[in-house]
Amino acid sequence: MSAIDRSLVACLPIFAECSSEQIDDILREARPARFEKNANVFEQGEKAAHFYLLLHGRIRACKLTPAGEEVVIRFIAPGEMFGVAMAIGRDAYPATATAVVDSLVLAWPNSAWPSLLARNPALAVNTMRTLGARLEESQTRVIEMSTEAVERRVAHAILRLVNQAGRKTDDGVLIDFPISRQDIARMTGTTLHTVSRILSAWQTLGLISSGRQKIVVREPHKLYLLAESSEK
Amino acid sequence: MSAIDRSLVACLPIFAECSSEQIDDILREARPARFEKNANVFEQGEKAAHFYLLLHGRIRACKLTPAGEEVVIRFIAPGEMFGVAMAIGRDAYPATATAVVDSLVLAWPNSAWPSLLARNPALAVNTMRTLGARLEESQTRVIEMSTEAVERRVAHAILRLVNQAGRKTDDGVLIDFPISRQDIARMTGTTLHTVSRILSAWQTLGLISSGRQKIVVREPHKLYLLAESSEK
DNA sequence: CCGTCTGTTTGTCGCAGCGCAACTTCTCGA
DNA sequence: TCGAGAAGTTGCGCTGCGACAAACAGACGG
């Protein structure tokens, strides 16, 4: 692990309140691993052997329904922990994690978790916060799915992606990893047909411009209005 | 707090791995409080001052959307912690908690949380498990909302209620607290009209029998088949 | 014992969005 | 350079579910 990564990791929220020595102590037990685009870091149902921190790249967490449909739970950004089955008392991964671009992760063996926790009480506090944040996000999605129309849900999903992975360009804000209409459909509980229609309409209106696996939001503010206001 | 409550609390999962002395130590800082039917324990957005353990009764956790609609997040059973905003680093309650029957709770001041955690490392582990379980439940709901038709969602919701609050009677399994069609609609993201139609149909088929704020599941197995099988 | 209120039932109607299918376009590997 | 497959677009018909409306029943207070 390079010195650059080292100092980058030190300021992550998950390590807040940990001393420099503690962080070194924690990192010593981890090993880096590389996953190329479209490779799975782990699969749903697989026995959990490691937990992970994403250093570079982007990971998609997906769940398979009993009927065989896939639902996108979230996209993981650099700096986030994932695959923390151990922390929540599971012995299998509850979802499949797939690299959507070439990615670099740190992997800890599950067996390291209890001792890390014992030596770093702040880690427990920070992990609870992370879980709490994810719980809130998930509940927000339940509420959206319950009460909002498809077009709004798509708008919210895209704004969330912009917040998480937006990169300014001269045209607007680019979502900085390859994402298909199918992905957005699986995030919003609709079909790729409907997403395609909606995005086409927005493109005509000049709100966005999009291509194959690529979305640029030209007018984030207008999209926000669309997502929030009650008018049609 | 009575001796009966005392021994009841001692075997809760949230206190797993805590010694008897530790539990006494934890309980010493809590105070009991009573809430009568339809009273709010706390409201969404209110500054969080306490966290709670439900001893007896039933609490409904509800979220209000920006548009003013209510969504039922979950029903809290005796033995569950709730209002743990402090643990996840929030300073306001993210939902409204309402007693659906006369209820008895234990309340800790928020200020007690850090020291409790410091003195009882197992509490952190158990809290993470609880949060993890809620996260999975919430994600399951997202998946259901994304992929399943209304009738199935209602079936799942009722089966969940049966698991959580079912009481055997000679007619079948009674959901042991007053619950309206409106509540079920707010759990499944539909309207009370649709819920009413579905329950009426099930009643005709003999799957359930229901009345005002009351549901008895006569044929849990058949309802389960309805919820899981792919056929209509 | 009666009036009122809340929760429930039932019917009709319209439309959003899904399934299906055909077609186009882009990408990538051989 | 070309072919195959993946990703996206678009039209059409059908239906499930929400909106609105109206009546009904059980609970509760006076």
Side-chain angles (χ1 to χ4, degrees):
Chain A
M1 184 169 180
S2 75
I4 289 175
D5 285 342
R6 169 68 189 72
S7 59
L8 200 143
V9 163
C11 58
L12 294 176
I14 191 82
F15 295 132
E17 309 287 321
C18 288
S19 69
S20 195
E21 294 73 35
Q22 282 178 314
I23 293 174
D24 280 335
D25 179 51
I26 293 171
L27 295 179
R28 199 170 303 125
E29 305 197 36
R31 293 181 36 171
R34 226 171 274 281
F35 291 88
E36 60 185 25
K37 183 171 175 174
N38 294 325
N40 286 345
V41 180
F42 52 79
E43 281 175 42
Q44 181 171 350
E46 191 182 315
K47 198 158 161 49
H50 299 87
F51 57 94
Y52 300 87
L53 175 66
L54 180 61
L55 290 178
H56 189 79
R58 187 80 46 171
I59 307 279
R60 180 185 55 216
C62 235
K63 273 193 138 174
L64 209 62
T65 69
E69 290 158 304
E70 287 191 330
V71 175
V72 175
I73 300 295
R74 62 184 184 119
F75 283 93
I76 297 155
E80 290 188 65
M81 301 283 299
F82 65 104
V84 290
M86 179 75 185
I88 60 172
R90 305 271 155 193
D91 66 345
Y93 296 112
T96 297
T98 310
V100 292
V101 294
D102 291 351
S103 296
L104 178 64
V105 307
L106 278 182
W108 285 262
N110 254 352
S111 55
W113 180 251
S115 80
L116 283 187
L117 213 54
R119 280 178 290 162
N120 304 279
L123 190 59
V125 173
N126 296 333
T127 303
M128 282 187 264
R129 286 187 187 190
T130 303
L131 289 174
R134 286 198 209 160
L135 182 57
E136 290 219 302
E137 150 129 32
S138 178
Q139 287 177 352
T140 301
R141 269 183 78 183
V142 170
I143 290 172
E144 267 180 30
M145 301 285 306
S146 297
T147 62
E148 287 184 10
V150 170
E151 188 177 21
R152 294 263 204 104
R153 300 208 301 268
V154 174
H156 271 130
I158 289 186
L159 287 171
R160 241 179 283 138
L161 290 172
V162 163
N163 273 332
Q164 213 204 12
R167 206 188 70 203
K168 277 251 163 58
T169 69
D170 31 355
D171 279 350
V173 190
L174 168 74
I175 294 174
D176 202 14
F177 57 91
I179 183 163
S180 71
R181 325 267 147 151
Q182 182 67 263
D183 286 327
I184 294 176
R186 289 199 277 238
M187 295 176 70
T188 52
T190 182
T191 60
L192 86 156
H193 311 276
T194 301
V195 172
S196 183
R197 276 175 241 272
I198 290 174
L199 294 194
S200 295
W202 288 349
Q203 184 142 11
T204 307
L205 291 173
L207 289 180
I208 65 170
S209 77
S210 73
R212 201 182 177 70
Q213 313 236 69
K214 182 180 77 101
I215 297 175
V216 179
V217 180
R218 289 176 172 280
E219 305 267 12
H221 186 61
K222 285 190 184 168
L223 196 57
Y224 184 79
L225 285 179
L226 184 71
E228 297 302 323
S229 74
S230 48
E231 32 156 356
K232 176 56 208 290
Chain B
M1 184 173 183
S2 75
I4 289 175
D5 284 344
R6 169 65 188 72
S7 59
L8 200 141
V9 163
C11 57
L12 294 175
I14 191 84
F15 295 132
E17 311 285 322
C18 288
S19 71
S20 196
E21 294 73 35
Q22 282 179 314
I23 293 174
D24 281 335
D25 178 51
I26 294 171
L27 294 179
R28 199 169 303 127
E29 305 197 36
R31 296 185 30 175
R34 227 171 271 281
F35 291 89
E36 59 185 27
K37 184 172 171 171
N38 294 327
N40 286 345
V41 180
F42 51 79
E43 283 175 43
Q44 180 172 350
E46 191 181 315
K47 199 159 159 47
H50 300 88
F51 57 94
Y52 300 88
L53 175 66
L54 180 60
L55 290 178
H56 188 80
R58 187 79 46 172
I59 307 279
R60 179 185 55 217
C62 235
K63 272 193 139 175
L64 208 63
T65 69
E69 290 158 303
E70 287 190 331
V71 175
V72 175
I73 301 294
R74 64 184 183 121
F75 283 94
I76 296 154
E80 290 187 65
M81 302 283 298
F82 65 103
V84 291
M86 179 75 185
I88 60 171
R90 305 271 154 193
D91 67 345
Y93 296 113
T96 297
T98 309
V100 292
V101 294
D102 291 352
S103 296
L104 179 64
V105 306
L106 279 181
W108 284 262
N110 254 352
S111 56
W113 179 251
S115 80
L116 284 188
L117 214 53
R119 279 178 290 160
N120 305 277
L123 190 61
V125 173
N126 296 333
T127 302
M128 281 188 263
R129 288 187 185 188
T130 303
L131 289 174
R134 286 197 207 159
L135 182 57
E136 289 218 303
E137 148 130 31
S138 178
Q139 287 177 351
T140 302
R141 271 183 76 183
V142 169
I143 290 172
E144 268 181 29
M145 302 283 308
S146 298
T147 61
E148 287 184 11
V150 170
E151 189 177 22
R152 296 264 202 106
R153 299 208 301 265
V154 173
H156 272 130
I158 289 186
L159 288 170
R160 242 180 281 138
L161 290 172
V162 163
N163 274 332
Q164 212 203 14
R167 206 189 68 202
K168 275 251 163 56
T169 70
D170 32 356
D171 280 349
V173 189
L174 169 73
I175 293 175
D176 202 15
F177 58 89
I179 182 161
S180 72
R181 324 269 148 149
Q182 183 67 262
D183 286 327
I184 295 176
R186 287 198 279 238
M187 294 175 72
T188 52
T190 180
T191 61
L192 87 156
H193 309 277
T194 301
V195 172
S196 185
R197 273 175 242 272
I198 290 173
L199 294 194
S200 296
W202 289 349
Q203 184 142 10
T204 307
L205 292 173
L207 289 179
I208 64 168
S209 77
S210 72
R212 201 186 178 66
Q213 313 235 69
K214 183 180 75 102
I215 297 174
V216 179
V217 180
R218 288 174 173 281
E219 305 269 12
H221 186 62
K222 286 190 186 168
L223 196 58
Y224 184 78
L225 284 180
L226 184 72
E228 296 302 322
S229 74
S230 49
E231 31 156 0
K232 174 56 209 288

